[in-house]
Every structure is written in C-alpha cells, then in structure tokens.
Amino acid sequence: MATDVERKTDIGPPHYEQFLHPVMKANYGKWLYHDSIAPGVLSHTGPEGTIYTVRAASPRLASTNFIRNMTKIATDFCDGYLRFTSRNNVEFLTDKEENVDKIKAALAELKIPVGGTNNAISNVVHTQGWVHCHSAATDASGLVKVVMDELADYFTSENLPAKTRLAVACCLNMCGAVHASDIAILGVHRTPPVIDHSTLPNLCEIPTTVASCPNNAIKPTSIEGKTTVKVDEDKCMYCGNCFTVCPSMPLSDPLNDGVSIWVGGKISNARTEPMFTKLAVPYLPNNPPRWPEVTDAVKKIVDVYAANARPFERLGEWIDRISWARFFELTGFEFTKYHLDDFRWAGTTYKRSLQNRY
Amino acid sequence: MADDLKIPLLEELEKGPWPSFVTDIKSVAGKSEMAADLLRQLEKSYEDKRGYWKHGGLVGVRGYGGGVIGRYSALPEEFPGVSHFHTVRVNQPSGWVYTADALNGIMDIWDEHGSGLTNMHGSTGDMVLLGTRTEELEPTFLALTQKGWDLGGSGSDMRTPSCCIGPARCEYACFDTLALTYNLTQEYQDELHRPMFNYKFKIKVSGCPNDCTAAIARSDMAIIGIWKDDIKVNQEEFAKYVDSGMDVQGIVVDMCPTSCISVDGKTIDIDDSNCVKCMHCINKMPKALAVGDEKGAAIALGAKAPIVDGALFGSIMVPFIELEEPYEELHDLIERIWEFWDEHGKARERIGEFIERVTLARFCEEVGLDPIPQMVTHPRENPYIFYEEYFAEEGEGSEE
Amino acid sequence: MAVSVEQLADEMFAIVEESAGKRKLKAGDLQKAMAAKHGDEVSRKDVKAGIKLLIDSGRCVYGYFGGSSIELPRTEGAANE
Ligand code: SF4
Ligand code: SF4
Ligand code: SF4
Ligand code: SF4
C-alpha cells in the first residue's frame, strides 16, 4: 500500500446529492404522487417529471460479483443510478418508462425476482447466523432462502390482504427487526451456558459477568483457587447476555438449539399503533439445509392469514380482531405453557375481562 | 479453488426461485480463498448444527474504536481462509443511494483487500464488508478514505444514523431526512468513531409515520416526520378514485382509526382536529390526499430489541419539532440527553432502560422537557406519588 | 490553573495501566475519575481530547466485550485464545 497518501479520518460519508438521479434532484421535496405500475414497479411524479423504480430481491449476503451485476444493469438502463431499501432490496431508478421492461428482462436473466411492493411479502430483514456470528443458534441466510423459496410468489405478486414483513434473527440479540415484524423467525438456545473455567478467569471480568444476567443467575465462585462464576440453571432463560460480555460462556448446543416463530408485529402507524410480535411456535428443530418444519409453519401462517383477513388488515390487526384463541385454532399450532409470559410486566398480558369468543 | 469445494448440504440451497447466497458465494470462491473456506466452514456448521466463530477481538483501524467487528474462526487450522474474518462497516450515503461507479469503486477495494463478500446493508444501515484479515484493515481504510468513504459505528458509540429516501423520492416526506442524517453524521463524527457512551445509541430517521426505517422499533432516538395542520385534499382526484370503483367507504372511511372521514358522493371531508396522522387514508389515495404544510418531526426515545430488559418501542418525548438547518434545537436536545445518560447510566444500559430506571419525570426534568399528555397513553393508575411541594405550618415550604 | 490535555492523558494512562487485567475501563469511567480529581478545572471536552491523544498515539486501544473499553494494547488475537 502506498505510504505517501495522507491518512484521513472523520470525513464521514460522501454527500448523497452526487448519487441522486437528475429527475430526483429536480423534484427533490416537490413530489406530487406515486403510482403502482406492476408488482415491483413504482412511478413517482413531480413537477419536473417522473422517475420509475424497479425493485429487485437480493440475498443481502451479496458478493462483489452480484453487486457488479446490479451496477451493470444500472449503467445500461438507469444512467448508473440505483439504491438499496431498508429491507435489502435493490432499486433501479430511471426516467425512461421504456427501460422498465429492459431492467426486468436483465434481472430475469440473472434469475432475480422483481416485486416486494404494496401487498406483497417484501425481502426478509435478517442477521448473520452461522455465516459470521459467534452467538448464532441457527443460520439466517439459509432460513431466509428456504422460506422465500416457499413464498416467492407472494414477493412477485400483491395478492395478500396487506403488506407482510418477515424477519429472521439467529439469537435473542435480535439484530434484525424480529420484535416488530408480521412474521419473525428467531433462533433460540435452550440450555444454559457451558462455562469454560480454564479461560474465564483470564478473559472475563467477574463483576461485569455477574451483572450481565437479567435474572441474577450468575454468582462468583472459586475453582482451584481461581475466581470464576457459576450459573443457577433453574434461573437461566438462555438469553446469552453473559456470553456477550464473557466469551467463556458459550450457549451453543447442537442438540437443543432451534427456531421459534413469532407473529403480529408492525412498525407503521397506519390505522393501529405499532405492535410487538407475539409467540406462535416456541420451538422447531434446527433441520438444515432446508428446515422443512419452519417453512411449513410460516407457509401455514401466511395461508391462513391470506384466506381470512380483510383487505388492508395487517397480520397483527387481523389477529387482534379475531382473537388469539382463534388464531391458534385456525393454524392448528399448539398453545403451551411457554406462551404464557413470565418476564417483566408479564401480568399486563393476562386476560382481565370476560370478553372471549365461545 | 472452487473445484474442490465439497458442500452437498449447502448446494441444496442452490435450488428454488429465490436468489441463492450459496451460488453467489461460489461465484467468488474461485478468486477468493476466504469465500471458499467460508463455504467449507458453513458446510460444517450445517452438518453439526452449530456455529464455528469465536467472540470478537481487539481489532480496528488506528484511532477509531468503532467501525470494525473482529471475528476469528474457531477452526483456523481446518479453515485457514477464515482464520481472520473481520467485518468493516462503511458509512452508507443518506437514503442508500449510489451510482454504479461509486459502488464499483468500493467493490474494487474489497476484491483487493477482503473476501469479496458484503451485506447490502447491515441492520443499522452501514454497508457491511464481510471478512478480511487484520493486516488488511488499515489498507482497506486508506483506500476507502481516498475515495471519500469513511467507517460507521460499532461498540458503545453513536451508531451510524440512517434514513428513508424521503424528499428524494417520496411525496410523504415531512422534512429533509437525507440532509438531517448527513448533518448528524458529520456533526457527531467523534461520537461515531470513538466510543464514549454506556452502550450503543442508534438514530434512525423516517420522513413520515409510515416509518420505513423502523425507527420506532429499532433506534434509541427515532426522528419521524409529522405535520400539524390539515391533510391536503384534491377533490377532483378523489372523485376519480370513486369513479374507478374503489370501495372508498370500506377501504378508507371505515378504516380510519378515529372515524374522522366522511364521504358524500364524490366529496371527501376530513375532521382534521381528530386526525391522528396515521397515514392510512393518504397511503390508499396518494393522488387525492397529501400531508399538510406545517411539517416537522416527532422524536421518540428508547426503542430496542429485548437484550437486556425486554424489547421496547420508542416513547414520544417531543410530539413536534421543526427541522430546518442548522438544526440547533435538535443538536441541543441530543447533547443534553447524552450528557445526562452518560453521567448517570450504567454499563450496557440503553437509553430506554435508563429512562425507565430514573423515571420519565426525572428524565424530563434533567434534559429540560415539559411533561405533556402526548407523552403517555394515559396518566398513572396508581396513587404512589412522590409529592415535592407541600405547605409547611410556618416558614419554609414551597407554594404555587 | 487549568490542567493540560497531555497531563490528563498521562493521568488516565496511569489509571488504565493500574487496572489492566482487573477491570476494563470505559471512557465514562475515565471521565468520572478525572472529574473527581480535578473538579471544575477540567471539562468533558478536555478529557475526551486526552483519551483521543492516548488512542492516536497508540498508548491505549479500544477493546470490546459487550461494551467498549479503553485498554493497553495487546498482541493481535489476544481474544483469540
Ligand atoms: S441475532 Fe444474535 S447470532 Fe444473529 S447476528 Fe445478531 S448477535 Fe449474532
Ligand atoms: S444466559 Fe442469560 S439468564 Fe442464563 S446465565 Fe446467561 S445472562 Fe443469565
Ligand atoms: S417513511 Fe414516509 S417519507 Fe420516508 S420513504 Fe417511507 S413513506 Fe416516504
Ligand atoms: S391520516 Fe389516519 S387518522 Fe387521519 S384522517 Fe387519515 S385515516 Fe384518519
């Protein structure tokens, strides 16, 4: 590496303006309306003209080859302009309507679906999994792939009652938006950390490790004259907080790690206030490479929702209307003791009225 | 080389209509031994149903405490290509807009210095360059900064702010999300690159209550566009929606959460004093309805995922603030919040948990916010009030 | 007499050295220690500048385990044991 270049720091990101399509720059802050032209294709119009957007899926975990394929399409048909969405979709931006079909054709050649707009299942927000994270109870990219293989038609059409947002996170840290998605897949550990007493005294600060546990399950102890910690296994809820601050307390357990499924969250304020996801299925086995139990469960939820919800009713709004009892009835998922909350503010989830459906 | 890759389980993930990350990684495995060994190690994870990564480590670029996540394989002898597999977070441009040239430039750097794999983008918003060796970090950083890019945040710092496409392509934007995000990122470079907080602090910026960046759920400080005056109505366009056969009654009127819309034939009337700006009607009829003219943002604090004390949505601290450059009022507020949290927060205590611990009342007092009914769903239900004013028989005692 | 940034850096370095292997110090811990020692004579900004000096000079590095800390430089991969 050349050493004669000046080392710069704290320059921040480049200014966005240089990356804006001229039509977007001209209409900046002056847009009038948008239209949905086809699944995955939008047009936005302002006084200075119209910009067309073609939205394409991406695996998020993308190679430089994939990105060069995308920039090639942008160069060929969009004067080089493209963007990404908060849900890992790629958007191609052009002011030439006739280029929309060309972009779609170029994407089709690469076998990349176009869609994710309006009442579709958009791309999945997800995390690193076994590809890159030390905490993962499952893989994220693999789960996304198999679930979206199953649901791809919902990405390329707009036939659901309302938009449906999926997320996958591979441990309770939930780096994805699992706690507020219509359907969320969450990797879970189910056994307490296994303490490596040979490394813990060197690697971890005892007070920090003890303090990291929300349930006070960790206590200092001494083994062979060295201070280390022990875990009260009855109090452990396998959250992994301790592992985050102390690498000598891994939770990974191939026999017991698995996947849970959560439903009914939403972010937008449209109609109802934002909602958290709630537990639908507490445990399904990790069954790579294609996790058939998980894809079945997700498919089931989407199918039942599609068949029963009213137009523009989000999954959580639909369940609120029909009741959780009916949700379990319709999906056939078993309601278990694990569905009863026992953490902070658990009482707020208990039913305190006679208003049940019989 | 890619020819000797034996990954039968992963190859199952090359089937099906969704783009396959396996096929994609394979496409660079020929030129990148890191990518090839990543696949080999991942295959082993798929066989054994467990991950093989070690906890992070002390790596970074000189002077920065954020922007690089250290990662090492737990099986470096078996998979030397990923013995180091550090992540570099590159601060994305506001709204994730790029030109092909700019992106290709980064890809050139990454093909030279890293695994050739990325995440477009990470959960916080950064472009994530996935996998490189410690000795490549400085050269990567040097190459990036030469092209005008810088690193994002990680650790106990202000995380890279991110925003929706806002005024660049959306008629709903109530303020300039891209400009504000750029401003905050530049203003707080020190806080972004040099961790000095109790824990992370994420800022997300959405231009309207549709909240495309999930700010209300995923950011310690959510800045979400809102307007105060009336929804703008174009009756002519509304009539066209009716003529088109749209079920205006069922889809719009009946679904308004405050029942403040009425329709008479081809005319729509909104009681804006009862509208809660939920966006539903505007989303359904973007040509007939538009956000008002008196625009700004609401600020919510404290959203986070469950770790440690349970998931939280942001709580509204400021129902309306005007956001015009140079954003002094907002900078002021942010700095007061940081100062109080810095001084009194515990290690790994996010601002949401902090506010619950010190109480909202005290928090408001310390950062200079007035308690107002818009901050709560309802006033307290319990009678355990810590009164601070009382009358004394004589002498002292405060009175109003 | 105001305390110089260099002096703050030296004092903080001594604290970091002292607690090495015992307790991981955060920037906030150093802020508090300096405030306790010098009271109003030093501002948060000065302490920040002192920390920046320590890091830029390579005398200290940032560490991360669940939260960021300021530590003595360690050999590469020390967390890799
Ligand atoms: S959700 Fe957990 S396992 Fe997945 S990337 Fe985040 S911290 Fe790692
Ligand atoms: S996994 Fe969670 S509950 Fe169990 S010991 Fe660790 S911090 Fe405590
Ligand atoms: S948050 Fe609102 S303003 Fe921003 S892109 Fe989404 S709909 Fe448009
Ligand atoms: S924005 Fe929401 S609350 Fe306001 S009129 Fe429209 S539907 Fe009703």
Side-chain angles (χ1 to χ4, degrees):
Chain A
M1 216 29 229
T3 46
D4 52 345
V5 283
E6 184 203 350
R7 189 173 189 274
K8 297 185 222 173
T9 66
D10 301 286
I11 58 174
H15 198 276
Y16 51 89
E17 211 179 85
Q18 57 194 289
F19 302 137
L20 292 179
H21 190 287
V23 171
M24 290 163 74
K25 221 187 280 184
N27 279 320
Y28 199 90
K30 295 185 283 195
W31 297 98
L32 295 169
Y33 59 86
H34 69 272
D35 264 317
S36 299
I37 296 189
V41 184
L42 302 170
S43 72
H44 289 80
T45 302
E48 309 296 328
T50 296
I51 189 96
Y52 298 88
T53 300
V54 179
R55 185 178 291 176
S58 95
R60 189 181 89 124
L61 171 48
S63 73
T64 49
N65 283 352
F66 177 87
I67 293 161
R68 286 181 209 279
N69 284 338
M70 298 299 105
T71 55
K72 169 121 194 351
I73 295 176
T75 305
D76 289 349
F77 307 111
C78 307
D79 303 307
Y81 295 97
L82 74 169
R83 74 175 290 262
F84 292 77
T85 72
S86 59
R87 307 195 69 86
N88 317 319
N89 295 305
V90 191
E91 289 186 339
F92 297 93
L93 301 153
T94 176
D95 56 344
K96 300 177 192 69
E97 189 170 9
E98 66 274 18
N99 281 2
V100 167
D101 284 336
K102 295 179 192 160
I103 296 167
K104 284 168 102 172
L107 288 163
E109 202 158 302
L110 295 168
K111 296 203 177 62
I112 294 173
V114 168
T117 47
N118 295 312
N119 295 350
I121 290 182
S122 188
N123 207 343
V124 182
V125 167
H126 69 102
T127 51
Q128 305 290 20
W130 292 331
V131 171
H132 196 247
C133 192
H134 59 289
S135 298
T138 188
D139 191 32
S141 303
L143 275 168
V144 169
K145 165 73 177 144
V146 296
V147 166
M148 287 312 287
D149 275 343
E150 196 67 45
L151 300 175
D153 287 347
Y154 287 113
F155 180 83
T156 52
S157 64
E158 299 180 338
N159 300 331
L160 283 168
K163 64 168 80 162
T164 305
R165 299 292 181 245
L166 268 60
V168 173
C170 29
C171 85
L172 270 56
N173 277 324
M174 293 194 193
C175 301
V178 157
H179 60 299
S181 301
D182 294 277
I183 304 174
I185 300 168
L186 174 65
V188 287
H189 298 292
R190 298 193 304 150
T191 46
V194 178
I195 305 173
D196 182 350
H197 294 292
S198 66
T199 59
L200 191 141
N202 278 333
L203 286 179
C204 313
E205 262 172 40
I206 305 296
T208 313
T209 309
V210 169
S212 71
C213 180
N215 281 359
N216 295 319
I218 304 177
K219 294 275 176 309
T221 188
S222 171
I223 290 180
E224 288 164 11
K226 283 205 161 174
T227 314
T228 175
V229 299
K230 60 180 175 190
V231 171
D232 179 346
E233 305 206 340
D234 290 339
K235 281 192 187 165
C236 180
M237 57 184 179
Y238 334 114
C239 68
N241 258 308
C242 49
F243 184 49
T244 302
V245 303
C246 173
S248 303
M249 300 180 73
L251 285 98
S252 150
D253 175 357
L255 210 55
N256 285 290
D257 289 347
V259 171
S260 58
I261 297 185
W262 304 70
V263 295
K266 93 192 245 290
I267 304 273
S268 92
N269 286 273
R271 301 168 303 282
T272 47
E273 295 185 353
M275 301 184 217
F276 284 126
T277 46
K278 281 104 186 162
L279 180 64
V281 183
Y283 175 76
L284 292 169
N286 250 339
N287 205 352
R290 293 205 66 100
W291 284 271
E293 296 84 355
V294 177
T295 52
D296 282 355
V298 172
K299 187 82 179 17
K300 171 117 238 171
I301 295 166
V302 174
D303 286 345
V304 172
Y305 163 64
N308 289 280
R310 291 177 183 163
F312 302 112
E313 202 170 40
R314 291 283 290 267
L315 205 140
E317 295 173 306
W318 163 64
I319 298 174
D320 265 3
R321 179 170 58 79
I322 64 162
S323 84
W324 283 94
R326 192 141 296 161
F327 170 79
F328 282 96
E329 205 177 288
L330 286 170
T331 53
F333 296 146
E334 190 189 356
F335 190 86
T336 69
K337 67 177 180 184
Y338 299 126
H339 290 87
L340 305 177
D341 197 352
D342 52 11
F343 195 55
R344 316 251 197 277
W345 314 297
T348 59
T349 66
Y350 303 166
K351 181 97 170 173
R352 279 153 174 168
S353 82
L354 287 190
Q355 297 188 357
N356 268 316
R357 288 167 175 77
Y358 292 94
Chain B
M1 278 286 106
D3 314 342
D4 69 345
L5 272 177
K6 283 188 200 66
I7 48 167
L9 291 176
L10 289 176
E11 276 163 359
E12 286 299 309
L13 294 175
E14 296 196 83
K15 301 170 181 165
W18 198 250
S20 167
F21 68 99
V22 175
T23 310
D24 189 35
I25 301 178
K26 267 172 123 177
S27 80
V28 286
K31 59 180 178 186
S32 161
E33 196 48 35
M34 290 190 115
D37 263 355
L38 180 71
L39 285 173
R40 293 189 188 104
Q41 178 172 316
L42 191 60
E43 176 75 10
K44 187 169 171 63
S45 284
Y46 272 57
E47 278 164 19
D48 301 348
K49 303 186 188 184
R50 55 157 300 174
Y52 286 105
W53 297 104
K54 280 197 229 175
H55 224 285
L58 299 163
V59 289
V61 301
R62 189 150 48 83
Y64 282 13
V68 178
I69 317 293
R71 188 67 71 220
Y72 301 91
S73 170
L75 306 168
E77 278 87 40
E78 212 172 322
F79 307 109
V82 290
S83 58
H84 296 197
F85 203 67
H86 310 317
T87 294
V88 180
R89 291 187 180 164
V90 180
N91 198 146
Q92 82 289 359
S94 291
W96 297 292
V97 288
Y98 297 94
T99 56
D101 285 349
L103 263 184
N104 289 344
I106 298 181
M107 296 310 119
D108 290 344
I109 294 173
W110 199 232
D111 278 336
E112 185 183 342
H113 295 289
S115 68
L117 301 174
T118 76
N119 284 157
M120 299 296 283
H121 293 76
S123 301
T124 305
D126 302 281
M127 178 195 301
V128 172
L129 304 181
L130 206 62
T132 192
R133 302 189 56 80
T134 305
E135 59 273 19
E136 291 293 344
L137 291 171
E138 269 296 324
T140 305
F141 178 65
L142 217 58
L144 284 168
T145 46
Q146 290 311 310
K147 290 197 167 146
W149 300 91
D150 199 347
L151 303 192
S154 66
S156 306
D157 61 9
M158 178 184 84
R159 296 300 181 83
T160 312
S162 67
C163 66
C164 72
I165 188 70
R169 200 200 54 195
C170 185
E171 67 269 24
Y172 301 154
C174 293
F175 65 95
D176 193 338
T177 53
L178 293 89
L180 176 67
T181 302
Y182 183 75
N183 173 282
L184 293 177
T185 312
Q186 293 292 355
E187 177 81 16
Y188 298 117
Q189 282 287 300
D190 213 22
E191 284 77 2
L192 180 69
H193 292 139
R194 297 176 187 81
M196 53 187 93
F197 298 147
N198 303 304
Y199 208 14
K200 57 185 118 178
F201 192 92
K202 299 190 182 187
I203 300 179
K204 285 190 193 289
V205 181
S206 286
C208 81
N210 282 334
D211 193 4
C212 291
T213 63
I216 196 85
R218 298 173 76 185
S219 59
D220 297 273
M221 176 178 257
I223 304 172
I224 303 174
I226 196 96
W227 70 99
K228 286 209 288 196
D229 56 342
D230 295 353
I231 290 176
K232 290 195 262 188
V233 181
N234 181 333
Q235 296 289 3
E236 220 170 283
E237 289 293 337
F238 176 74
K240 286 190 199 159
Y241 279 107
V242 177
D243 290 339
S244 75
M246 177 175 173
D247 173 15
V248 173
Q249 183 68 32
I251 289 173
V252 180
V253 179
D254 294 350
M255 292 184 90
C256 168
T258 55
S259 306
C260 66
I261 307 177
S262 49
V263 168
D264 184 6
K266 292 184 184 178
T267 316
I268 182 169
D269 183 50
I270 300 175
D271 168 14
D272 285 277
S273 66
N274 278 313
C275 163
V276 289
K277 326 292 187 199
C278 83
M279 294 296 295
H280 174 72
C281 57
I282 303 176
N283 288 337
K284 292 296 159 275
M285 302 188 297
K287 286 184 182 164
L289 304 177
V291 301
D293 287 320
E294 238 181 286
K295 294 184 281 199
I299 294 177
L301 289 183
K304 55 181 279 295
I307 300 298
V308 179
D309 259 345
L312 294 171
F313 280 129
S315 334
I316 300 297
M317 295 287 155
V318 181
F320 189 86
I321 182 173
E322 264 180 44
L323 289 174
E324 298 290 341
E325 276 179 87
Y327 310 112
E328 268 165 22
E329 199 186 339
L330 181 65
H331 292 170
D332 250 32
L333 178 67
I334 291 175
E335 285 158 32
R336 288 200 307 272
I337 289 167
W338 280 346
E339 200 169 323
F340 180 50
W341 175 52
D342 228 15
E343 184 107 9
H344 298 275
K346 297 188 199 165
R348 301 191 73 235
E349 187 175 48
R350 296 279 289 270
I351 191 92
E353 289 155 329
F354 173 68
I355 294 171
E356 294 217 357
R357 182 168 62 81
V358 302
T359 76
L360 179 57
R362 169 143 183 249
F363 182 81
C364 288
E365 219 163 79
E366 295 277 351
V367 305
L369 295 168
D370 289 328
I372 47 170
Q374 284 84 348
M375 287 179 172
V376 293
T377 48
H378 55 73
R380 75 160 73 222
E381 291 170 329
N382 69 70
Y384 307 128
I385 307 171
F386 289 98
Y387 290 104
E388 286 177 358
E389 303 89 6
Y390 53 90
F391 299 108
E393 201 59 65
E394 54 191 51
E396 280 115 81
S398 56
E399 68 286 325
E400 283 298 29
Chain C
M1 225 346 253
V3 191
S4 74
V5 170
E6 286 74 21
Q7 187 188 335
L8 285 175
D10 287 341
E11 290 177 11
M12 289 189 287
F13 183 72
I15 299 176
V16 173
E17 237 180 351
E18 161 82 31
S19 63
K22 286 177 239 156
R23 200 164 97 77
K24 290 193 170 67
L25 297 170
K26 295 174 286 124
D29 298 325
L30 295 175
Q31 279 280 4
K32 277 174 197 158
M34 291 300 102
K37 183 155 182 205
H38 300 289
D40 286 344
E41 269 176 66
V42 303
S43 68
R44 301 176 70 82
K45 262 210 175 100
D46 297 337
V47 180
K48 257 165 70 172
I51 294 174
K52 189 160 187 280
L53 207 63
L54 285 178
I55 299 284
D56 286 349
S57 66
R59 292 167 80 190
C60 291
V61 295
Y62 286 106
Y64 181 78
F65 273 115
S68 300
S69 52
I70 291 165
E71 308 177 7
L72 296 181
R74 286 202 257 170
T75 45
E76 136 79 356
N80 196 21
E81 307 294 343

